[in-house]
């Protein structure tokens, strides 16, 4: 069990703390009351909670990053302090890096995917965009398109009952004809 300051989050209103633990084989959120230390699992499944983005005790919500939808993606989710009502707040496939405002009314999302440079957007706490995309990196995308680099492709395979994910970029020229 990993114990370090980055995986403990103290709750002032409940006299307990949230703890990221791998107790069930996946990293999930647990609530631990200070008087009993009996762990209560808040999230569960064959996926990982990758971090806590914020805890809004006033409204009883936890914002966290996880890969529930796909092991290749990282999204922002929120749930109630008891682990119920889990909602995914970001929607495009890829990796989202978010910063939640101190008042928990908004979040800033930096999103990128395998064949897409980072884009930035502001959202309300329900996951609704506030404006058009702040930065879409169209100029960078056009420069990358000039290089005519083939798109990266995701793939997966199983070996001895273990699944593996990866990606590859095939050569721009069909080298099979040359062999």
């Amino acid at each position: 069990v990993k114990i370090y300051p980055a995986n403990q989050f103290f709750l002032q209103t409940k006299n307990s703390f949230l703890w990221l633990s791998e107790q069930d084989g996946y990293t999930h959120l647990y609530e631990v009351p200070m008087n009993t230390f009996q762990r209560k699992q808040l999230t569960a499944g064959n996926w990982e909670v990758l971090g806590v983005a914020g805890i809004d005790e006033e409204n009883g919500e936890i914002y966290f990053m996880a890969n529930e939808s796909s092991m290749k993606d990282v999204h922002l989710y929120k749930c109630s302090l008891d682990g119920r009502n889990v909602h995914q707040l970001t929607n495009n496939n890829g990796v989202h890096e978010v910063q939640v405002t101190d008042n928990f009314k908004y979040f800033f999302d930096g999103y990128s995917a395998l064949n897409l440079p980072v884009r930035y957007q502001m959202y309300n706490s329900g996951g609704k965009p506030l404006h058009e995309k702040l930065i879409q990196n169209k100029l960078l995308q056009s420069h990358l398109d000039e290089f005519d680099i083939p798109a990266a492709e995701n793939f997966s395979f199983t070996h001895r009952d273990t699944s593996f994910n990866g990606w590859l970029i095939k050569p721009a020229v069909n080298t099979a004809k040359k062999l």
Side-chain angles (χ1 to χ4, degrees):
V1 174
K2 296 177 185 175
I3 298 176
Y4 47 91
N7 72 350
Q8 300 169 24
F9 308 90
F10 290 92
L11 301 173
Q12 301 300 316
T13 58
K14 295 182 78 175
N15 196 31
S16 63
F17 63 93
L18 298 181
W19 184 28
L20 287 173
S21 173
E22 299 170 348
Q23 179 176 329
D24 72 347
Y26 294 90
T27 304
H28 283 289
L29 283 167
Y30 292 79
E31 182 182 1
V32 182
M34 299 292 270
N35 58 348
T36 65
F37 291 101
Q38 298 289 324
R39 290 181 285 235
K40 175 188 172 195
Q41 190 168 2
L42 301 180
T43 60
N46 295 341
W47 49 275
E48 305 269 340
V49 172
L50 303 170
V52 173
I55 302 168
D56 181 359
E57 288 190 68
E58 185 176 317
N59 292 305
E61 296 174 326
I62 306 166
Y63 293 83
F64 62 95
M65 304 304 295
N67 60 7
E68 180 187 24
S69 62
S70 167
M71 291 296 171
K72 296 176 260 183
D73 296 337
V74 176
H75 287 280
L76 176 66
Y77 295 82
K78 78 174 175 179
C79 69
S80 57
L81 282 175
D82 62 5
R84 296 182 184 168
N85 304 316
V86 177
H87 296 288
Q88 181 178 319
L89 298 176
T90 52
N91 55 16
N92 295 313
N93 292 340
V95 175
H96 295 264
E97 292 186 29
V98 303
Q99 187 164 17
V100 180
T101 60
D102 290 341
N103 64 5
F104 300 99
K105 290 184 179 182
Y106 309 101
F107 66 90
F108 183 76
D109 179 26
Y111 151 73
S112 64
L114 192 56
N115 295 303
L116 184 70
V118 67
R119 295 168 183 217
Y120 299 97
Q121 179 67 47
M122 286 290 297
Y123 294 88
N124 68 19
S125 62
K128 182 180 177 185
L130 296 181
H131 307 286
E132 291 185 30
K133 294 227 182 315
L134 295 176
I135 299 174
Q136 294 190 40
N137 271 329
K138 289 180 182 179
L139 182 60
L140 175 57
Q141 184 67 57
S142 70
H143 288 312
L144 291 171
D145 292 343
E146 290 173 11
F147 288 107
D148 198 27
I149 300 170
E153 300 175 21
N154 288 308
F155 68 93
S156 59
F157 65 94
T158 303
H159 178 70
R160 296 186 181 164
D161 298 327
T162 302
S163 295
F164 297 91
N165 295 311
W167 56 271
L168 86 114
I169 300 174
K170 294 179 181 175
V173 179
N174 186 351
T175 58
K177 294 179 183 176
K178 296 181 180 183
L179 296 177

